[in-house]
Amino acid sequence: MRCITLLGATGSIGVSTLDVIARHPDKYSVYALTGNLQIDKLALQCQQHKAKFAVVNDEVAAAKLDVLLQASGCATEVIYGMDALCQVASDDAVDTVMAAIVGAAGLMPTLAAVKTGKKILLANKESLVMAGGLFMQAVKESGSVLLPIDSEHNAIFQCLPADYQQAHSSGINKLLLSASGGPFRGWSAEQMSAVTPDQACAHPNWSMGRKISVDSASLMNKGLELIEACWLFDVGPEKIEVVVHPQSIIHSAVQYIDGSVLAQLGNPDMRTPIAHALAWPQRIDAGVANLNLFEIAQLNFEQADLQAFPCLQLAFDTARAAGDAPAILNAANEIAVQAFLDERIGFTQIAQVVGETLSGLSFTEPESLDAVQESDNQARAFSAAYIAKIES
Ligand code: NDP
Ligand code: MG
């Protein structure tokens, strides 16, 4: 029986994870569930999955959740704040942590789980983008098992040799990172200038939270994933090729030096990588329909358009620059995406905000988490000020 803490239970990945867990009550039990704004949903999840702890961000939310839980006779204990998140991620009773908080807020609790040697199911790509060097060092030191949930990275993981982490060379030529191209594939920058948040969030293949949906539409998500892949698989950005594949059936592939390409295919449903990582190295039912290749009939591939989608180019440049450049990119992007969702800036201005922030700040090599946090703060302040300037 594996005992699980689910960071970000109320989100898209959180809900899919609970769906898989509920199919296997003999294998998994829930220790803690965490949420932020969706308190009613978190209360229901605590009842259904008999969580020992529930964590929210502040005292007011905690009091509200407590009232709901007591009214339903649920025994879940409510705690709040960053220390509480880190506590449920690192408690001795827990062996597996799903890291599915969105954005930089996921870094500290995920690292708390890493440092205590948990099995980590990593959805929160932002923590690797922000602090990849320190994060991977902590994984090495603690002996934590790190399994990627991001569908592309999970696919690559499945296509790599089993001893890849130890042997490492293994005749690999390139990692082929799939990209659906998002809702605006084939559009020009001009056509994208007036799109609404709802249009940007209407992904053709995947149902996801709003932040990652906007990132998918701008291809910043692919850029973040490129950086994530560099850290996870210990390769440089030149070893990774982005392949636009609109059907989202091939989730990514590994090209070997003998000409072989190993790919992982499946319906676009996050329960597959979640089930894979939960059960690894075994396999469990994920509740996902079998792939029907006759129905799909056709798979297409094209190059990414870096002119129309400058966020991907910015991320490529950032991956090459390393240091705290990815942390700056990530923070500026979070601020810009929120401003776009709040209808304060246009869609194409997201890249403008990120680009200006990267040019306006100098890069350093972060030696500590405090230094990463400082770069993150500076980038947030710079991009917020820039947005205020272009708004007026
Ligand atoms: P959602 O927006 O759907 O969910 C985010 C979760 O994080 C929610 O539980 C939310 O709580 C919580 N949360 C948000 N802000 C904070 C905060 N400041 N402090 C604590 N908790 C917070 O996101 P997704 O599930 O789509 O994505 C989660 C992560 O997984 C992201 O890093 C994303 O990049 C990654 N990912 C997602 C994929 C997907 O298919 N959705 C695919 C691959 C990666 P509440 O809702 O209660 O406010
Ligand atoms: Mg992905």
Side-chain angles (χ1 to χ4, degrees), residues 125 150-152 221 225:
K125 65 192 85 187
D150 218 338
S151 56
E152 297 78 1
N221 183 50
E225 289 183 356

Side-chain angles (χ1 to χ4, degrees), residues 225-288:
E225 289 183 356
L226 173 95
I227 299 167
E228 180 186 13
C230 290
W231 288 116
L232 277 173
F233 306 116
D234 197 15
V235 295
E238 72 289 347
K239 282 272 186 191
I240 303 176
E241 187 160 52
V242 172
V243 179
V244 175
H245 162 47
Q247 290 91 357
S248 297
I249 295 298
I250 294 182
H251 297 304
S252 279
V254 177
Q255 186 179 70
Y256 288 87
I257 50 176
D258 61 2
S260 300
V261 174
L262 299 191
Q264 187 260 353
L265 287 74
N267 287 316
D269 187 324
M270 287 307 293
R271 289 177 300 175
T272 295
I274 290 167
H276 169 266
L278 268 173
W280 182 84
Q282 265 96 47
R283 298 269 176 178
I284 53 169
D285 173 29
V288 176

Side-chain angles (χ1 to χ4, degrees), residues 15 34 78 86 106 109 141 169 188 210 212 243 255 279 288 301 322 339 374:
V15 168
T34 87
V78 181
C86 294
E141 282 168 11
S169 64
S188 67
R210 282 174 82 77
I212 184 177
V243 179
Q255 186 179 70
V288 176
F301 307 96
E374 181 54 29

Side-chain angles (χ1 to χ4, degrees), residues 8 10-13 36-38 57 100 123 125-126 150 208-209 270:
T10 46
S12 166
I13 292 287
N36 184 26
L37 302 175
Q38 301 190 76
N57 277 11
K125 65 192 85 187
E126 295 91 342
D150 218 338
M208 308 180 286
M270 287 307 293

Side-chain angles (χ1 to χ4, degrees), residues 112-293:
V114 168
K115 285 181 180 162
T116 43
K118 308 299 183 202
K119 175 175 171 180
I120 312 289
L121 316 187
L122 186 71
N124 176 256
K125 65 192 85 187
E126 295 91 342
S127 52
L128 268 186
V129 172
M130 283 176 78
L134 296 165
F135 192 102
M136 294 310 287
Q137 184 60 32
V139 168
K140 219 187 240 171
E141 282 168 11
S142 69
S144 187
V145 173
L146 181 61
L147 295 164
I149 293 298
D150 218 338
S151 56
E152 297 78 1
H153 306 72
N154 184 271
I156 291 169
F157 181 87
Q158 293 196 48
C159 298
L160 286 171
D163 66 348
Y164 178 72
Q165 301 295 353
Q166 293 83 41
H168 208 260
S169 64
S170 313
I172 287 154
N173 188 27
K174 267 198 173 157
L175 306 181
L176 306 179
L177 191 67
S178 292
S180 70
F184 308 135
R185 184 177 59 87
W187 290 34
S188 67
E190 200 189 357
Q191 284 174 303
M192 283 182 270
S193 61
V195 298
T196 64
D198 283 347
Q199 279 176 292
C201 288
H203 197 280
N205 307 334
W206 295 96
S207 155
M208 308 180 286
R210 282 174 82 77
K211 192 262 176 181
I212 184 177
S213 295
V214 175
D215 287 346
S216 298
S218 70
L219 293 203
M220 180 59 95
N221 183 50
K222 213 45 56 186
L224 299 178
E225 289 183 356
L226 173 95
I227 299 167
E228 180 186 13
C230 290
W231 288 116
L232 277 173
F233 306 116
D234 197 15
V235 295
E238 72 289 347
K239 282 272 186 191
I240 303 176
E241 187 160 52
V242 172
V243 179
V244 175
H245 162 47
Q247 290 91 357
S248 297
I249 295 298
I250 294 182
H251 297 304
S252 279
V254 177
Q255 186 179 70
Y256 288 87
I257 50 176
D258 61 2
S260 300
V261 174
L262 299 191
Q264 187 260 353
L265 287 74
N267 287 316
D269 187 324
M270 287 307 293
R271 289 177 300 175
T272 295
I274 290 167
H276 169 266
L278 268 173
W280 182 84
Q282 265 96 47
R283 298 269 176 178
I284 53 169
D285 173 29
V288 176
N290 285 330
L291 183 65
N292 185 332
L293 284 172

